[in-house]
Amino acid sequence: QKTDIDRYVEEVLEPKNLAIATHRQFVSALKLFLKRFSTCGIPSIEIRAPKKELKLPTVLSQEEVIDLIRSTKNLKHRAITALIYASGLRVSELTNLKLTELDNDRRQVIIKQAKGRKERYVMLAESFLPLLQNYIACYRPISYFAEGKPGERYHASSIRAFLKRN
């Protein structure tokens, strides 16, 4: 019954200080169980999952971003960092970014299959263009903006690792 479920949540889940996601997963599993095994004799009850926590991302100040870019010695890492912060790209969007999607003349980048399978345009900062040209001249990427091996995408884990180091 609902009181047994409430008691389980209060006596078992809450004292462990588990994340809201764990509570939600428990409720979802219980709902699925009751739906799939409706013949087991457990009466149908209304269970509500707790609301998700909405956390705002930590945002670096302009000075912190500039310091981060300046402290990055590797040209590829510097170009990646500058493009992420200057254009507001997600790491996954940058790893999927092809050279053909960069438009220097219009100072735009088209992001294909962004979050929610949408396309969007983002502006390229004027201050980023010399770094972009230097990066392309030195590394000569073939297909993607950031490549690990020639013609292959750079791994998101590699980007996160060097961002974390800096």
Side-chain angles (χ1 to χ4, degrees):
Q1 292 196 348
K2 187 168 176 29
T3 56
D4 293 335
I5 294 167
D6 288 339
R7 197 169 354 158
Y8 177 81
V9 169
E10 289 173 9
E11 295 175 6
V12 178
L13 295 181
E14 286 180 0
K16 291 182 179 180
N17 290 326
L18 299 172
I20 296 274
T22 307
H23 286 252
R24 292 175 59 81
Q25 187 176 25
F26 167 74
V27 170
S28 296
L30 189 59
K31 284 181 178 180
L32 181 64
F33 175 82
L34 293 174
K35 183 178 179 183
R36 291 264 171 102
F37 299 99
S38 57
T39 59
C40 69
I42 299 174
S44 180
I45 53 176
E46 182 66 32
I47 308 169
R48 291 193 178 182
K51 291 189 176 186
K52 281 185 179 182
E53 292 177 285
L54 297 176
K55 293 183 179 179
L56 293 174
T58 51
V59 179
L60 299 178
S61 71
Q62 187 175 358
E63 292 79 22
E64 289 172 320
V65 172
I66 291 169
D67 289 343
L68 177 64
I69 293 169
R70 282 186 184 148
S71 69
T72 306
K73 301 296 179 217
N74 183 309
L75 178 61
K76 181 190 288 186
H77 294 173
R78 185 181 296 166
I80 289 171
T81 304
L83 185 57
I84 284 174
Y85 285 103
S87 299
L89 299 182
R90 295 175 177 88
V91 172
S92 61
E93 292 170 346
L94 185 124
T95 57
N96 293 321
L97 183 64
K98 294 185 177 181
L99 289 173
T100 56
E101 298 165 351
L102 289 167
D103 189 347
N104 288 348
D105 298 332
R106 291 184 174 177
R107 290 169 180 62
Q108 287 183 334
V109 179
I110 183 168
I111 307 300
K112 294 187 177 182
Q113 298 212 349
K115 191 172 183 178
R117 296 183 181 167
K118 296 178 183 173
E119 289 186 1
R120 64 186 172 105
Y121 286 95
V122 294
M123 299 303 295
L124 274 175
E126 187 77 32
S127 58
F128 175 68
L129 294 177
L131 178 59
L132 173 65
Q133 291 165 350
N134 190 10
Y135 163 71
I136 289 176
C138 288
Y139 280 88
R140 300 180 195 268
I142 298 168
S143 299
Y144 294 95
F145 172 76
E147 295 180 342
K149 294 179 181 175
E152 293 182 20
R153 286 185 289 180
Y154 205 61
H155 289 279
S157 58
S158 299
I159 295 173
R160 288 190 181 93
F162 76 71
L163 287 174
K164 197 175 217 180
R165 279 195 306 267
N166 293 333

